[in-house]
Structures are given as C-alpha cells and as structure tokens.
Amino acid sequence: MPEHIQIYFASVVFLITYAIIVSEKIHRAVIALVGAALIAVTKILSPEEAVHAIDFNTIGLLVGMMIIVGITRQTGVFEYLAIKAAKSSKGEPLKIMAALSLVTAVLSAFLDNVTTVLLIVPVTFAIAQKLRISPIPILIAEILSSNIGGTATLIGDPPNIMIGSATHLGFMDFIVNLTPIIIVVYVVTLTLLRLIYRTQLVADPERQQKIMELNENDELKDMQLLRKCLVVLGLTIFGFAMHQYVHLESSVIALTGASLLLLVSREDPEHALHAVEWPVIFFFIGLFVLVGSLEKVGVIEAIAKASLEITGGVMIPTAMLILWLSGIASAFVDNIPFVATMIPLIKDMGQLMGVTDPNALNLFWWSLSLGACLGGNGTIIGASANVVVIGMAEKRGMHITFMNYFKVAFPLMLVSLILSSVYMVLWHIYPEMITIAVTLLFGILVAVAFMPINKALEKSAVRHRARQSV
C-alpha cells in the first residue's frame, strides 16, 4: 500500500473506531480489536511492530491490581469501611454523603474506580432506604469523588497508568505533584455539593438511629484472608512507592503482589482470574495498535505541529491547551483512547519545541492527567464509573437523566479545571516544591474555613426538617 494511502487508511480506521466507541453501538473491546486487525491485515504495522506498539507495562499493572482487588473484595472489608463511615456520621445525611465520598475518593486512589463504586454503591442504597431519602445526591457525590480520588495516584485511574508507563514517572511523582491540588478540588467540590443538596438530604432522628444500629462487623466474611490481603496490599503499595528507586516497572510490582496473594491465599487461579476485566485488557491492546499506526504514518506528528502553531510553542499556553482540551473532550468521550492518542502527541510536541530535558515536559503530563481524569466528571458518559453507577441506579428504578447530572456535575468539573489551571501555572512559574507545599497548605486552610459553612448547612437542614414535620 502506497505511503499516502496508508496515512488516509490508518486515519479513517481510527476515526471510525473512535466514533463507534463513543456511540456504544458495538462493545468497545470488539471494535478496538477489529480496528487493530485491519491495521495488521493491511500491513500498515507488521506483526512485530503491532506487538511493540502494545504497552505491556500498562497491561501488567491492570491485570495485577485487578487480581489483588478481586481477592480482597471477597473479605467484605470495603463494605465494612462504608458502614463504619456512615455510623461515624451519626446517621446525618449530609455527613453520610461526605463520609461515603471520602471513602470512595481514598479507595479510588488505590483501586480501580469501577471496582470502588461497585463496592460502595450497594451500601449507599441500603443506607438511603433506611433513612428514607433519595440516594441520587449521594450517588452523584460518589461518582465525582471516585474520579477526583483516582487522579491523585499512578494506579488510581487508567489514564495515569498509561502516562506513568509512557514517561517513567513514578508512584511518588504522582502523589507529590497531584495530591495537593486534588485535596483542594475535593474539598471545594464536596462543599458545593453539600450546598446544592442541603434541603434534599434531610432525615428524621428515628431513621438516623437505624443507621447506628447497623453492625459493620457482619460484613467481614473471612478474617484470615483479610489479614493476608492487607499484608500483600501494603507490600504492593510500598513497592509502588519504591519502584522508581529500585528500577522496577510498576507492572512487575503489581504482578508480583498478585502472584504472592495467590500463593498465600491458596485461591483457585481460575476463580481469581475471573476478577480480571478481560474486555478492558483487550480494549487496551487494540487501542495501542491503532495509535501505533497513526504514529508510524506521521499523523501524530502533523497534529503536534498544528497544535504548536496555535500556542506559538510557549510552555504555559500549550499546557493550558492540553488541560482544557483533555478536560472538555473527556467529558464527552472515553478518556482512555483520548489519552492513548495524546501521549505520543505530547512527546512529539516536546521534540518539536526542542525540549531535551524530560522533566521539563512534566508540565504537559500533569496537565494531561488532571484534564483527562477530572474531565470525566462532566457528563454521565465521561468515565466508566459514571456509567456503572447510573446503570445500578436504573436497575433499582431510579433514573438519573443526562441533563439532571450535567447541570450539577459539569459546572463542578469546570471549577476543578479552573483550580487545576491556577495550580499548573504556579507549578511552572515557581519552584515545584514551593507550589506543592503552598497548595497543600491552602487545601487544609480551605477545609478549616469551610467548617463553619458545613455547620451552617447542617443547621439549615435541621430547620428544614422541623418545617416539614410541622
């Protein structure tokens, strides 16, 4: 096939595949593999080049963590944490929303977002039923928290896994550089949610007492397995924290942890491997091949040149373009294929700008991570966790429409992007550690400053409940 025909063919296959992924007419794993097969059959990529295009570090990290989480979830520890959080809130709905959101955000930083919401949402329905309140405000808070929390670490969200693998940025790099702004985004988002839903989340004292009667210990099913899981999970996270210093890939750490847990738990390997979301794995494989074809024929480089013409090749405007383009695009399309396309694009941008120091490009990588992960909050189709929660609600007869979610979540997503923009500008202008320390301090001050606001919201809810009882 002539070179110019290859360019058009690879571009058309990619765009058609992307369009079908967005439309959800065909399962995204199936269409990604079909697209990859077309690339291989037409010899745009040879079999060796296709295999080389697949990022096996990303694949290994996903498989390893899915196995660890799949075994750990059998112990009931996640349901235990959710009920414990609800009881710590004394059964007050606004506090329960805050507590469950915090648990969701923290778990999402270390587990897959979809797994986290699958574990927390059923408990949310049970608690809302006992309080006789609508679970929808709490569900929306959990969706937003899962995507916000997942942004904070290397393993929290697939886009971060892909970025870390492509750039060799380590677990601690993500924690140090992204967690401070994520704390600020989380505190501001949750406070605004409490303000929005202050009159809807109201329950009678008798109903609140029913929450206090729940026994979280009943959720713990296998204490011996739980101890083994916690030890292995702790060792795995410690391995992530150290992997860049001992020069081991994150996938090696995850797969080693999964292998160790399989060994000590004596779990049936066939049963454990059911926890791996194989459609997701093969979706990634097909996607990497498709993006590899665009990279080979020069499409990625052409887009990079066009983007730099818009920004003039200046660092800050280019970073803002990446952040906002990623944020808005990820609200409407799957952020995984978007990030897979952006990674080689940003690498080409660095070369075209003459940036030889890899650390200088970190401004672009953090902008991509914040935009892609936080942008997923914008609509109900913006991230996999959103779609899963909406589906679980519909099965229980609670329909959350696109617009009902959009009018709450999209403005909050824009607020998070504005905060991220300010952070990235300061991060570039001033020495990074100063900006990180100041941002973290600001997050703590914001949390303290919002305490009187939260108390006022709770008093408002009490007054609203009193008026209803009259």
Side-chain angles (χ1 to χ4, degrees):
M1 186 183 294
E3 186 175 335
H4 68 283
I5 299 296
Q6 285 187 350
I7 294 173
Y8 290 119
F9 186 82
S11 301
V12 169
V13 169
F14 179 83
L15 291 173
I16 291 175
T17 303
Y18 210 118
I20 296 175
I21 290 171
V22 173
S23 70
E24 298 182 340
K25 298 295 183 183
I26 302 175
H27 194 286
R28 62 181 185 173
V30 174
I31 193 61
L33 289 174
V34 169
L38 286 173
I39 294 299
V41 167
T42 54
K43 298 183 179 179
I44 292 176
L45 289 180
S46 67
E48 293 79 12
E49 289 173 328
V51 171
H52 184 71
I54 299 170
D55 187 347
F56 285 100
N57 187 52
T58 296
I59 301 297
L61 178 53
L62 287 170
V63 170
M65 290 307 297
M66 285 176 180
I67 291 173
I68 292 173
V69 172
I71 296 174
T72 305
R73 72 186 298 181
Q74 298 175 30
T75 66
V77 66
F78 304 117
E79 292 84 352
Y80 169 89
L81 290 173
I83 293 174
K84 190 77 172 175
K87 289 180 67 175
S88 70
S89 306
K90 307 298 182 185
E92 296 181 24
L94 279 173
K95 288 184 177 180
I96 286 176
M97 181 175 74
L100 290 179
S101 296
L102 182 60
V103 170
T104 302
V106 173
L107 289 179
S108 293
F110 299 99
L111 310 178
D112 174 54
N113 289 6
V114 172
T115 300
T116 301
V117 296
L118 282 172
L119 296 167
I120 299 298
V121 166
V123 181
T124 303
F125 284 122
I127 291 171
Q129 186 176 20
K130 288 186 178 295
L131 290 172
R132 289 191 179 177
I133 61 174
S134 170
I136 290 177
I138 303 177
L139 295 179
I140 291 176
E142 288 169 352
I143 290 172
L144 298 177
S145 298
S146 71
N147 292 320
I148 292 171
T151 314
T153 68
L154 168 68
I155 59 175
D157 218 2
N160 283 4
I161 294 173
M162 297 163 72
I163 292 169
S165 179
T167 61
H168 301 293
L169 288 166
F171 186 83
M172 293 307 298
D173 291 324
F174 279 83
I175 292 244
V176 169
N177 290 282
L178 294 185
T179 299
I181 184 58
I182 289 306
I183 290 174
V184 174
V185 169
Y186 172 79
V187 171
V188 172
T189 300
L190 196 67
T191 301
L192 293 174
L193 281 171
R194 287 165 67 94
L195 186 63
I196 293 168
Y197 292 120
R198 65 189 183 281
T199 58
Q200 295 184 38
L201 294 176
V202 179
D204 296 329
E206 296 81 6
R207 296 287 170 186
Q208 294 179 19
Q209 185 58 37
K210 288 185 178 294
I211 301 300
M212 303 306 296
E213 294 170 1
L214 293 172
N215 187 358
E216 63 273 16
N217 293 317
D218 291 342
E219 300 297 328
L220 297 176
K221 302 176 179 65
D222 190 335
M223 289 302 296
Q224 186 176 0
L225 178 61
L226 175 59
R227 283 190 286 269
K228 294 175 180 177
C229 289
L230 291 178
V231 169
V232 173
L233 191 58
L235 289 173
T236 304
I237 292 173
F238 177 75
F240 285 135
M242 299 300 295
H243 79 98
Q244 64 193 112
Y245 306 111
V246 295
H247 306 295
L248 286 175
E249 293 285 1
S250 53
S251 59
V252 174
I253 302 296
L255 289 171
T256 300
S259 303
L260 179 60
L261 187 54
L262 284 168
L263 178 65
V264 300
S265 68
R266 302 294 179 90
E267 185 76 14
D268 180 3
E270 183 176 352
H271 185 263
L273 290 173
H274 282 307
V276 178
E277 297 177 42
W278 293 110
V280 173
I281 300 302
F282 282 98
F283 170 62
F284 270 101
I285 290 172
L287 197 59
F288 284 135
V289 174
L290 285 168
V291 174
S293 69
L294 294 182
E295 197 170 0
K296 181 184 176 181
V297 299
V299 171
I300 298 291
E301 184 179 358
I303 296 174
K305 289 179 179 177
S307 301
L308 291 178
E309 287 179 6
I310 295 173
T311 63
V314 182
M315 293 291 286
I316 289 293
T318 304
M320 292 301 102
L321 175 66
I322 293 170
L323 175 67
W324 282 89
L325 177 62
S326 303
I328 301 300
S330 295
F332 296 96
V333 300
D334 196 313
N335 58 10
I336 294 172
F338 181 83
V339 169
T341 310
M342 287 295 292
I343 286 172
L345 178 63
I346 291 175
K347 286 183 176 179
D348 280 356
M349 282 182 174
Q351 293 176 357
L352 293 169
M353 293 170 68
V355 179
T356 56
D357 181 9
N359 292 329
L361 280 180
N362 288 351
L363 176 68
F364 295 166
W365 297 124
W366 301 139
S367 297
L368 176 62
S369 173
L370 290 169
C373 296
L374 296 177
N377 276 334
T379 69
I380 59 174
I381 61 172
S384 299
N386 309 23
V387 178
V388 168
V389 174
I390 298 301
M392 294 173 75
E394 287 178 348
K395 285 182 180 178
R396 290 166 173 80
M398 287 165 279
H399 187 60
I400 304 175
T401 66
F402 184 96
M403 286 309 300
N404 284 342
Y405 179 88
F406 182 85
K407 66 185 181 183
V408 173
F410 196 81
L412 292 176
M413 184 270 287
L414 293 179
V415 170
S416 70
L417 291 183
I418 292 170
L419 292 171
S420 299
S421 299
V422 174
Y423 175 74
M424 292 317 303
V425 170
L426 293 174
W427 188 93
H428 179 68
I429 294 174
Y430 298 103
E432 290 92 340
M433 293 310 299
I434 294 177
T435 301
I436 291 165
V438 170
T439 303
L440 189 57
L441 178 61
F442 178 72
I444 296 170
L445 292 175
V446 168
V448 172
F450 280 153
M451 285 180 182
I453 298 175
N454 290 331
K455 290 181 180 178
L457 291 176
E458 289 161 13
K459 290 180 180 178
S460 173
V462 171
R463 288 195 298 270
H464 181 76
R465 182 173 64 229
R467 286 196 299 268
Q468 283 187 326
S469 61
V470 173

